[in-house]
Each structure stands twice: as C-alpha cells, then as structure tokens.
Amino acid sequence: MENLPKKVRSKKLNTRVDLTAMVSISFLLIIFFMVTIELAKPKGFDLALPDKELGCGGEGGCSRGNRLYTILLDENDKIITYSGILEFDMYTAKKIEFGKNGIRKEVYRKKKEVSDYMISVGKPKSGVIVIIKPSRKSNFKNLVDILDEMKIAKIDTYAIVDEYTLEESKLLASK
C-alpha cells in the first residue's frame, strides 16, 4: 500500500471574467444616447407678436400701434422703416442706410421713444416691437445684418414676417 500511485488531481483553474471593459462601454453608450436624445429635441423660443388689430399687445393705452416699428428690406441694400401702422400714416416712412449712423441709430431712437411712452402710461416693462419684412428681392446678408442690429440694440421682441400689405408694396415700389 505504500507504493500506490497517488491520484493525480487536475488543478482547477479559477474562471474569473473581468467586466471592467463592459461597464465602461455601457456607460459610454448610456451617455451617447442621453446626449443624442437631448440634441434631437426640437428647440424653440418664445415669440411675442403684437395683436392683429393695432399692434398694441393688449391694453396699455397705445393708439395706432405706436409700439410697432417695421423694417422693410428690399434689393440693393434698401431699407425702409416706419412706425406704427402704415394705413394710418403713410408719411412716417423713411429710407435708411445700414450702419451705426443709419438703422442702428433709428432703432435706438425708437426704442427710447417707446420706452419713455410706456413709462408715462404705467407699463415700464413694455418695449418696442420690431417687425422685419424681407422682400423676395432682398439678400440673406441684409437679413442677418438686421438681426445683428436687433441683438446690438437689445431689442427683445422682434419677428420676421414674409407677408407684405398692399400699402407696403406700394411704398417699396415708390421709394
């Protein structure tokens, strides 16, 4: 019995799976899908447009849309502006140039004028409403320049509208 061969036992290998790489990939995939879902959401912003009738934005004692300032863009860098509603006063329309002594100066002037008026009627937070109307003949650069002017002048409420009234069409044709 002494010379009996010992049973050879095979060594049991410890089978251990390292999941570190799997966890890293899982976190990367989770982050990727979270970012893509966030980027896929439609982005929008609040746009306050004036009332259709007089552009007053409700009560506030404004008559003839005195908070409105309309900028018409036409071909050859032509800008025509008017305050209020064109049907009431066709003679307020002006032809203005681009630049700091042109449209920027006029936008600042109108902003201050409306601000002073709204303070006098007890609505200090109401400001000017700028309506930008590019014609089909105007170029994209002019629209971008006007949007830059709105940002520079810190105009909070403005809209780009592509519809022209009959009076505005006549005004563009005449000037």
Side-chain angles (χ1 to χ4, degrees), residues 130-175:
V130 178
I131 299 176
I132 303 165
K133 294 187 175 186
S135 72
R136 297 200 187 279
K137 297 176 184 176
S138 69
N139 59 30
F140 188 70
K141 178 190 177 299
N142 291 345
L143 180 62
V144 171
D145 289 344
I146 288 295
L147 292 176
D148 287 343
E149 295 296 339
M150 296 299 109
K151 195 71 163 174
I152 290 168
K154 295 183 173 112
I155 302 295
D156 296 326
T157 308
Y158 61 90
I160 301 171
V161 180
D162 61 352
E163 298 173 10
Y164 276 86
T165 63
L166 183 61
E167 290 85 5
E168 289 168 341
S169 299
K170 289 178 186 174
L171 182 66
L172 281 176
S174 68
K175 295 210 178 203

Side-chain angles (χ1 to χ4, degrees), residues 12-86:
K12 289 196 177 187
L13 297 175
N14 192 3
T15 56
R16 184 169 172 250
V17 178
D18 188 16
L19 295 177
T20 307
M22 185 66 125
V23 170
S24 296
I25 289 175
S26 299
F27 278 119
L28 285 174
L29 285 172
I30 289 170
I31 291 170
F32 172 75
F33 286 117
M34 286 172 57
V35 169
T36 55
I37 287 171
E38 189 62 34
L39 291 177
K41 289 181 183 174
K43 302 287 185 225
F45 56 92
D46 292 334
L47 180 63
L49 290 176
D51 288 344
K52 289 264 186 203
E53 292 178 20
L54 292 178
C56 294
E59 295 179 29
C62 66
S63 61
R64 298 184 179 189
N66 60 4
R67 285 181 59 197
L68 291 179
Y69 189 63
T70 304
I71 300 173
L72 305 173
L73 302 175
D74 204 13
E75 63 185 338
N76 300 326
D77 299 339
K78 185 162 91 172
I79 303 174
I80 298 174
T81 65
Y82 64 90
S83 296
I85 297 178
L86 193 58

Side-chain angles (χ1 to χ4, degrees), residues 1-6:
M1 293 225 175
E2 292 177 21
N3 284 345
L4 287 174
K6 290 186 177 179

